[in-house]
Amino acid sequence: MTSNSTSPKQPRWAGMVPVEDTALAVTDTGGPGTPVLYLNGQFATQGYWRHTLAELGPGWRHITYDERARGKSKRSADYSFEAAVRDVDAVLAARGVDRALLVGWSYGAVVAAHWAGRNPERTVGAILVDGAFPYDWLDDAMEQRIRKLFRRMGWVLPLLRPTGPTPRMTAEEQANSNIELGRLSRAHELGPCWTASPSRCGTSSRRERRSEAAVLSRSGSAPAWRR
Protein backbone atom coordinates (compact mmCIF):
# COMPACT_ATOMS: atom_id res chain seq x y z
CA MET A 1 0.00 0.00 0.00
CA THR A 2 1.05 3.57 -0.43
CA SER A 3 2.27 5.26 2.74
CA ASN A 4 0.81 8.71 2.05
CA SER A 5 -2.15 10.38 0.39
CA THR A 6 -0.54 10.77 -3.02
CA SER A 7 -0.11 7.69 -5.17
CA PRO A 8 2.32 6.71 -7.90
CA LYS A 9 0.60 7.07 -11.25
CA GLN A 10 -1.94 4.28 -11.56
CA PRO A 11 -3.72 3.18 -14.73
CA ARG A 12 -7.50 3.37 -14.97
CA TRP A 13 -9.13 0.18 -13.74
CA ALA A 14 -12.66 -1.19 -13.46
CA GLY A 15 -13.65 -4.63 -12.28
CA MET A 16 -14.98 -6.80 -9.48
CA VAL A 17 -13.38 -6.92 -6.03
CA PRO A 18 -14.15 -10.11 -4.06
CA VAL A 19 -15.25 -9.35 -0.49
CA GLU A 20 -16.38 -12.06 1.91
CA ASP A 21 -19.39 -13.77 0.26
CA THR A 22 -19.85 -11.19 -2.49
CA ALA A 23 -18.04 -9.05 -5.05
CA LEU A 24 -18.16 -5.28 -5.49
CA ALA A 25 -18.08 -3.41 -8.80
CA VAL A 26 -15.25 -0.88 -8.47
CA THR A 27 -13.98 1.88 -10.75
CA ASP A 28 -10.60 3.58 -10.24
CA THR A 29 -9.74 6.46 -12.57
CA GLY A 30 -6.06 6.12 -11.71
CA GLY A 31 -3.59 8.97 -11.92
CA PRO A 32 -1.09 10.41 -9.42
CA GLY A 33 -3.51 12.62 -7.48
CA THR A 34 -4.85 12.20 -3.97
CA PRO A 35 -7.15 9.14 -3.80
CA VAL A 36 -10.78 10.11 -3.23
CA LEU A 37 -13.20 7.34 -2.22
CA TYR A 38 -16.87 8.06 -2.88
CA LEU A 39 -19.50 6.43 -0.66
CA ASN A 40 -22.99 6.27 -2.12
CA GLY A 41 -26.42 6.99 -0.78
CA GLN A 42 -28.18 4.00 0.75
CA PHE A 43 -29.74 2.62 -2.43
CA ALA A 44 -27.74 4.59 -5.01
CA THR A 45 -24.97 3.43 -7.35
CA GLN A 46 -21.56 4.74 -8.29
CA GLY A 47 -23.05 6.23 -11.44
CA TYR A 48 -24.56 9.02 -9.35
CA TRP A 49 -21.09 10.54 -8.96
CA ARG A 50 -20.33 10.94 -12.67
CA HIS A 51 -21.05 14.68 -12.81
CA THR A 52 -19.03 15.32 -9.65
CA LEU A 53 -16.06 13.41 -11.06
CA ALA A 54 -16.28 15.27 -14.35
CA GLU A 55 -16.34 18.62 -12.57
CA LEU A 56 -13.40 17.80 -10.29
CA GLY A 57 -11.35 16.56 -13.21
CA PRO A 58 -8.25 14.36 -13.55
CA GLY A 59 -6.22 16.04 -10.80
CA TRP A 60 -7.72 13.55 -8.34
CA ARG A 61 -7.70 9.78 -8.28
CA HIS A 62 -11.42 8.98 -8.11
CA ILE A 63 -12.49 5.60 -6.71
CA THR A 64 -16.17 4.66 -6.79
CA TYR A 65 -18.01 1.40 -6.17
CA ASP A 66 -21.45 -0.14 -5.89
CA GLU A 67 -22.39 -1.36 -2.45
CA ARG A 68 -23.62 -4.90 -1.91
CA ALA A 69 -26.64 -5.76 -4.11
CA ARG A 70 -26.55 -2.30 -5.69
CA GLY A 71 -25.62 -1.56 -9.28
CA LYS A 72 -23.35 -4.27 -10.69
CA SER A 73 -22.23 -5.63 -7.31
CA LYS A 74 -23.31 -9.10 -6.21
CA ARG A 75 -25.76 -10.05 -3.51
CA SER A 76 -24.70 -10.94 0.02
CA ALA A 77 -26.03 -12.51 3.18
CA ASP A 78 -24.85 -9.46 5.14
CA TYR A 79 -26.19 -5.96 4.46
CA SER A 80 -25.32 -4.58 7.86
CA PHE A 81 -23.68 -1.23 8.48
CA GLU A 82 -20.56 -2.98 9.75
CA ALA A 83 -20.33 -4.82 6.43
CA ALA A 84 -20.46 -1.45 4.66
CA VAL A 85 -17.58 -0.19 6.83
CA ARG A 86 -15.56 -3.34 6.13
CA ASP A 87 -16.13 -2.84 2.42
CA VAL A 88 -14.32 0.52 2.61
CA ASP A 89 -11.24 -1.33 3.88
CA ALA A 90 -11.62 -3.99 1.20
CA VAL A 91 -11.88 -1.51 -1.68
CA LEU A 92 -8.92 0.56 -0.47
CA ALA A 93 -6.82 -2.57 0.01
CA ALA A 94 -7.73 -3.90 -3.42
CA ARG A 95 -6.64 -0.63 -5.03
CA GLY A 96 -3.46 -0.37 -2.96
CA VAL A 97 -4.50 2.82 -1.15
CA ASP A 98 -3.52 3.42 2.47
CA ARG A 99 -4.76 7.01 2.98
CA ALA A 100 -7.72 8.59 1.21
CA LEU A 101 -10.10 11.51 1.19
CA LEU A 102 -13.64 10.22 1.80
CA VAL A 103 -16.71 11.78 0.21
CA GLY A 104 -19.92 10.34 1.61
CA TRP A 105 -23.49 11.16 0.62
CA SER A 106 -26.47 10.39 2.90
CA TYR A 107 -25.95 6.79 4.08
CA GLY A 108 -22.42 7.00 2.72
CA ALA A 109 -21.79 10.05 4.89
CA VAL A 110 -22.48 8.00 8.02
CA VAL A 111 -20.21 5.22 6.74
CA ALA A 112 -17.49 7.79 6.05
CA ALA A 113 -17.86 9.37 9.50
CA HIS A 114 -17.59 6.03 11.29
CA TRP A 115 -14.66 4.85 9.15
CA ALA A 116 -12.79 8.14 9.58
CA GLY A 117 -13.39 8.12 13.33
CA ARG A 118 -11.94 4.62 13.58
CA ASN A 119 -9.06 5.31 11.17
CA PRO A 120 -7.92 8.92 11.68
CA GLU A 121 -4.36 8.13 10.62
CA ARG A 122 -5.62 6.84 7.26
CA THR A 123 -8.07 9.67 6.62
CA VAL A 124 -6.91 12.65 4.58
CA GLY A 125 -10.33 14.24 5.16
CA ALA A 126 -14.05 13.48 5.17
CA ILE A 127 -16.66 15.44 3.22
CA LEU A 128 -20.12 14.49 4.47
CA VAL A 129 -23.03 15.51 2.25
CA ASP A 130 -26.65 15.40 3.45
CA GLY A 131 -25.88 12.98 6.23
CA ALA A 132 -23.98 12.08 9.42
CA PHE A 133 -25.92 14.54 11.58
CA PRO A 134 -25.96 13.21 15.18
CA TYR A 135 -29.71 13.24 15.77
CA ASP A 136 -32.10 10.88 17.56
CA TRP A 137 -34.83 10.66 14.93
CA LEU A 138 -35.68 6.98 15.31
CA ASP A 139 -38.18 5.87 17.94
CA ASP A 140 -40.45 2.83 18.17
CA ALA A 141 -43.24 4.51 16.22
CA MET A 142 -40.88 5.53 13.41
CA GLU A 143 -39.44 2.01 13.25
CA GLN A 144 -42.93 0.57 12.80
CA ARG A 145 -43.73 3.13 10.08
CA ILE A 146 -40.57 2.18 8.19
CA ARG A 147 -41.41 -1.52 8.38
CA LYS A 148 -44.99 -0.88 7.24
CA LEU A 149 -43.83 1.28 4.34
CA PHE A 150 -41.42 -1.32 2.98
CA ARG A 151 -43.98 -4.14 3.44
CA ARG A 152 -46.43 -2.12 1.34
CA MET A 153 -43.74 -1.47 -1.30
CA GLY A 154 -42.62 -5.11 -1.39
CA TRP A 155 -44.59 -6.03 -4.51
CA VAL A 156 -43.34 -3.10 -6.60
CA LEU A 157 -39.65 -3.14 -5.66
CA PRO A 158 -38.75 -6.10 -7.94
CA LEU A 159 -40.46 -4.31 -10.83
CA LEU A 160 -38.30 -1.23 -10.28
CA ARG A 161 -34.97 -3.07 -10.20
CA PRO A 162 -34.37 -2.93 -13.97
CA THR A 163 -34.45 0.89 -13.73
CA GLY A 164 -31.31 0.89 -11.60
CA PRO A 165 -31.85 2.65 -8.25
CA THR A 166 -33.63 -0.24 -6.49
CA PRO A 167 -31.22 -2.71 -4.85
CA ARG A 168 -31.50 -6.46 -5.16
CA MET A 169 -32.57 -6.71 -1.53
CA THR A 170 -35.86 -7.81 -0.05
CA ALA A 171 -38.26 -5.26 1.39
CA GLU A 172 -37.41 -6.51 4.88
CA GLU A 173 -33.67 -6.14 4.26
CA GLN A 174 -34.16 -2.58 3.06
CA ALA A 175 -36.30 -1.74 6.07
CA ASN A 176 -33.70 -3.21 8.41
CA SER A 177 -31.00 -1.13 6.72
CA ASN A 178 -32.99 2.07 7.25
CA ILE A 179 -33.72 1.24 10.87
CA GLU A 180 -30.08 0.40 11.57
CA LEU A 181 -29.09 3.74 10.03
CA GLY A 182 -31.46 5.51 12.41
CA ARG A 183 -29.92 3.78 15.40
CA LEU A 184 -26.39 4.58 14.28
CA SER A 185 -27.29 8.23 13.67
CA ARG A 186 -28.14 8.77 17.32
CA ALA A 187 -25.96 11.31 19.08
CA HIS A 188 -24.34 8.77 21.40
CA GLU A 189 -23.47 6.53 18.42
CA LEU A 190 -22.33 9.07 15.84
CA GLY A 191 -20.96 11.71 18.19
CA PRO A 192 -17.81 9.79 19.19
CA CYS A 193 -16.57 9.68 15.61
CA TRP A 194 -16.52 13.47 15.59
CA THR A 195 -14.52 13.71 18.79
CA ALA A 196 -12.16 10.92 17.66
CA SER A 197 -11.33 12.80 14.47
CA PRO A 198 -12.50 16.41 14.93
CA SER A 199 -10.37 17.94 12.18
CA ARG A 200 -11.42 15.34 9.62
CA CYS A 201 -15.20 15.42 9.94
CA GLY A 202 -17.42 18.02 8.30
CA THR A 203 -20.94 18.36 6.95
CA SER A 204 -22.38 20.06 3.93
CA SER A 205 -25.83 20.60 2.55
CA ARG A 206 -26.87 19.75 -0.99
CA ARG A 207 -26.70 23.49 -1.79
CA GLU A 208 -22.99 23.59 -0.87
CA ARG A 209 -22.03 20.50 -2.85
CA ARG A 210 -21.25 22.28 -6.13
CA SER A 211 -19.22 25.03 -4.45
CA GLU A 212 -17.19 22.41 -2.57
CA ALA A 213 -16.41 20.67 -5.84
CA ALA A 214 -15.27 23.97 -7.31
CA VAL A 215 -12.98 24.62 -4.33
CA LEU A 216 -11.46 21.17 -4.65
CA SER A 217 -11.00 21.62 -8.38
CA ARG A 218 -9.22 24.96 -7.96
CA SER A 219 -7.06 24.08 -4.98
CA GLY A 220 -6.01 20.53 -5.84
CA SER A 221 -6.17 19.65 -2.15
CA ALA A 222 -8.84 19.20 0.48
CA PRO A 223 -9.83 22.35 2.38
CA ALA A 224 -10.26 22.38 6.15
CA TRP A 225 -13.90 21.46 6.61
CA ARG A 226 -16.05 22.80 9.42
CA ARG A 227 -17.19 20.50 12.16
Side-chain angles (χ1 to χ4, degrees):
M1 290 187 182
T2 57
S3 59
N4 51 52
S5 58
T6 57
S7 308
K9 187 171 183 178
Q10 300 289 331
R12 180 179 176 84
W13 183 88
M16 304 299 292
V17 172
V19 184
E20 299 174 0
D21 68 341
T22 186
L24 306 178
V26 178
T27 304
D28 182 349
T29 64
T34 299
V36 184
L37 183 68
Y38 298 84
L39 303 174
N40 311 330
Q42 192 165 24
F43 302 131
T45 68
Q46 59 181 313
Y48 280 58
W49 296 105
R50 62 186 182 278
H51 296 301
T52 301
L53 271 57
E55 187 169 348
L56 289 175
W60 302 81
R61 180 181 172 187
H62 306 287
I63 302 173
T64 60
Y65 68 96
D66 294 326
E67 295 180 6
R68 302 179 185 209
R70 284 81 152 178
K72 296 180 180 179
S73 291
K74 304 298 183 182
R75 291 182 176 178
S76 172
D78 187 356
Y79 298 115
S80 67
F81 183 84
E82 285 302 315
V85 175
R86 293 195 303 272
D87 289 347
V88 173
D89 285 310
V91 171
L92 292 177
R95 300 311 305 145
V97 174
D98 185 46
R99 299 184 70 236
L101 171 63
L102 304 184
V103 179
W105 165 43
S106 189
Y107 182 86
V110 183
V111 175
H114 275 266
W115 192 91
R118 301 176 195 184
N119 301 276
E121 72 289 346
R122 299 186 60 195
T123 307
V124 176
I127 302 173
L128 312 178
V129 183
D130 288 348
F133 305 109
Y135 180 65
D136 296 3
W137 57 266
L138 182 74
D139 56 19
D140 290 343
M142 176 62 75
E143 179 173 337
Q144 292 307 311
R145 285 197 292 272
I146 291 172
R147 293 194 183 282
K148 181 178 180 180
L149 173 64
F150 277 92
R151 280 198 300 269
R152 293 177 65 180
M153 293 174 59
W155 69 272
V156 74
L157 292 175
L159 302 177
L160 294 175
R161 284 172 190 158
T163 67
T166 305
R168 295 182 302 284
M169 300 164 62
T170 67
E172 182 180 6
E173 288 168 338
Q174 293 179 62
N176 289 339
S177 181
N178 275 274
I179 291 165
E180 185 181 30
L181 177 64
R183 292 169 179 163
L184 289 167
S185 296
R186 288 169 175 161
H188 74 276
E189 291 282 355
L190 191 56
C193 91
W194 294 75
T195 56
S197 183
S199 65
R200 295 180 174 88
C201 282
T203 62
S204 62
S205 67
R206 189 183 306 273
R207 185 184 306 169
E208 294 173 304
R209 191 174 183 180
R210 180 172 294 275
S211 63
E212 289 169 352
V215 170
L216 284 168
S217 181
R218 288 195 301 269
S219 67
S221 61
W225 300 105
R226 300 183 302 274
R227 287 186 62 184

